[in-house]
Amino acid sequence: MTTSTSLAPAETPGPPSAGELPYPQQLHRTMGRFASFAAGFSFISVLTTVFQLFAFGYGAAGPAFVWTWPAVLAGQLAVAACFAELAARYPISGAIYQWATRLANPVYGWFTGWLMVLGQVVVVAAAALALQVVLPALWSGFQLVGGDPSPTTASGAANAVLLGTALIALTTLVNAVDNRVLSLVNGVGVTAELAGIVLIVVLLFTHTEQPAGAVLHTGHPGGGFWALLVGSFTAAYVMIGFDSAGELSEETVAPRRTAPRTILTALAAAGVSGGLLLLGGVLAAPSLTDGRLAAEGLSYVLTSSLGDGLGRVLLADVAVAVCVGTLAMQTAGTRMVFSMARDGALPGAGRLARVSPGSGMPRWAALAVGAPAVGFLLLNLASPAAFLALSATCVALVYAAYALVVGAVLARRLRGLPLGAGEAAGEAGGAGLDEAGRPLFSLGRWGLPVNALALLYGVAMTINLAWPRASVYDPEGGHWYLQWFAVLVLAGAVAVGAAYRLRRR
């Protein structure tokens, strides 16, 4: 086991030159373009997240919630475009933290990375809970506790914790084994997920039961706009994690050329496929008014409209997507923890920054993500509604970290500073070249408006996600901490981070 002794970001303010990193190469550089794409796409995990929150989005805003999807996709594409520029200039593990550090300063970067680490830990827990939406519907034997598999019941919530804990134990093991095993599992999983999405979309659109005009109604007279704000949670939760291609830059061949493209293609592919799933699910539903679509989501549509046998086969594919998606989310969090620990920016940094020479995997960092994720799972035992609070909180944390990075980029643009060393401000690509000798990815003259839009969207969506709506986060009442969970976690994260930084000083 070895520990990096490389320079911290405060001592290396500029980006590395082409083919050079400010750290010794410890992680094994074996990932090609498809593996890089798979990292981003499997983190987004369209099947996992759409199946997990389809029922919530429909229950909040009715059939019209499908229109929140293109709005969120447009905002996230603006964010992804800014990230693509940074991935080309800073191909370093722990992307969000590293980018913010080099664009602003080490303290700003640390808080950005801290929020992102917390968000990634919680998102692993939230994703693992999705097994409860799929496995009991696939086979009743997966309901190990009680008889009601609904995630909003006491027995369903307890069973979700058991299934989620088993899954996180498995993903932690895979994240500790070998980089090649990780890439293989991701690749097979993404291939299966893409095939499943195509098949499900085709079947849904060939089994439509509702008129196209059905998606023009919210089912909430007089509260359409506010209902859509809540309904947008589904799209907001799905379309995060595209930056994972940047997180794995130190393990990617030709990362300056590969990562920017896979960040954008992963989000675009997820955006198109997820939007079709939502639309197809609404139009293929046997009924829009019997309450089952708002309670059971797409699982109800598949088993009711496509037949029990075929529906179960497709649910099995969704279960694979849940497992691979959880794995990818933990992988991204592991790289973030490793990157911050390598700079001595986390407690226990010496151990967390260790990389196994044989496997090229930061095993202690993987455990540091998996263990607290299981701890967050236990909140589901306090109240069956906790899974929604977890989902909203993890997304709010990630959106806040995204906004901090995008804000740092915008500040440099407004000051007329280049995003990377050796680049002339305002020039597309400047003097920077990728591994093929071509100009680095750049938005050029569109940089400022796209950047401004990305920041405005990110701040607005963070507020929307964290807003303490009792009807959303604590529908049963009596759990004030669930209603304020996202706000409390955000405030607590900042407070704990500030205390840690002051103690270090």
Side-chain angles (χ1 to χ4, degrees), residues 224-273:
F225 176 73
W226 302 109
L228 288 172
L229 283 180
V230 177
S232 68
F233 284 21
T234 298
Y237 180 65
V238 174
M239 288 184 275
I240 59 171
F242 46 84
D243 55 293
S244 294
E247 295 284 0
L248 298 172
S249 287
E250 288 186 43
E251 297 156 82
T252 303
V253 177
R256 294 177 184 274
R257 180 164 181 78
T258 300
R261 287 159 177 78
T262 51
I263 285 174
L264 292 170
T265 54
L267 177 58
V272 172
S273 58

Side-chain angles (χ1 to χ4, degrees), residues 89-110:
R89 290 156 180 79
Y90 305 94
I92 308 173
S93 186
I96 297 293
Y97 155 71
Q98 297 285 356
W99 298 342
T101 297
R102 286 164 169 75
L103 291 169
N105 57 67
V107 174
Y108 187 91
W110 186 89

Side-chain angles (χ1 to χ4, degrees), residues 96-152:
I96 297 293
Y97 155 71
Q98 297 285 356
W99 298 342
T101 297
R102 286 164 169 75
L103 291 169
N105 57 67
V107 174
Y108 187 91
W110 186 89
F111 272 100
T112 302
W114 171 240
L115 291 178
M116 191 67 182
V117 165
L118 289 178
Q120 289 169 328
V121 168
V122 181
V123 82
V124 169
L129 288 174
L131 276 184
Q132 182 62 27
V133 182
V134 181
L135 290 186
L138 182 62
W139 178 49
S140 60
F142 285 115
Q143 184 62 34
L144 306 173
V145 179
D148 192 340
S150 174
T152 58

Side-chain angles (χ1 to χ4, degrees), residues 48-57 122-133 149-154 156-158 160-161 233-234 237 294-297 376-395 472-476 481-482 485-486:
T48 299
T49 46
V50 167
F51 270 80
Q52 189 174 15
L53 284 184
F54 183 99
F56 170 78
V122 181
V123 82
V124 169
L129 288 174
L131 276 184
Q132 182 62 27
V133 182
S150 174
T152 58
T153 63
V161 172
F233 284 21
T234 298
Y237 180 65
E296 302 173 46
F376 276 108
L377 278 181
L378 298 179
L379 287 173
N380 219 40
L381 298 177
S383 171
F387 83 95
L388 183 57
L390 283 173
S391 300
T393 299
C394 70
V395 181
V472 174
Y473 299 120
D474 189 23
E476 299 176 355
Y481 55 88
L482 289 180
F485 191 75

Side-chain angles (χ1 to χ4, degrees), residues 40-52:
F41 189 85
S42 56
F43 189 119
I44 298 172
S45 192
V46 173
L47 286 182
T48 299
T49 46
V50 167
F51 270 80
Q52 189 174 15

Side-chain angles (χ1 to χ4, degrees), residues 382-439:
S383 171
F387 83 95
L388 183 57
L390 283 173
S391 300
T393 299
C394 70
V395 181
L397 287 165
V398 172
Y399 268 73
Y402 282 1
L404 287 172
V405 174
V406 172
V409 176
L410 183 60
R412 290 187 72 88
R413 291 190 196 277
L414 293 175
R415 291 162 59 193
L417 298 175
L419 299 183
E423 292 183 318
E427 293 183 10
L433 301 175
D434 63 21
E435 295 83 359
R438 299 174 182 174

Side-chain angles (χ1 to χ4, degrees), residues 202-218:
V202 170
L203 290 172
L204 289 176
F205 278 98
T206 54
H207 289 76
T208 57
E209 300 282 346
Q210 307 297 328
V215 298
L216 300 178
H217 305 286
T218 65

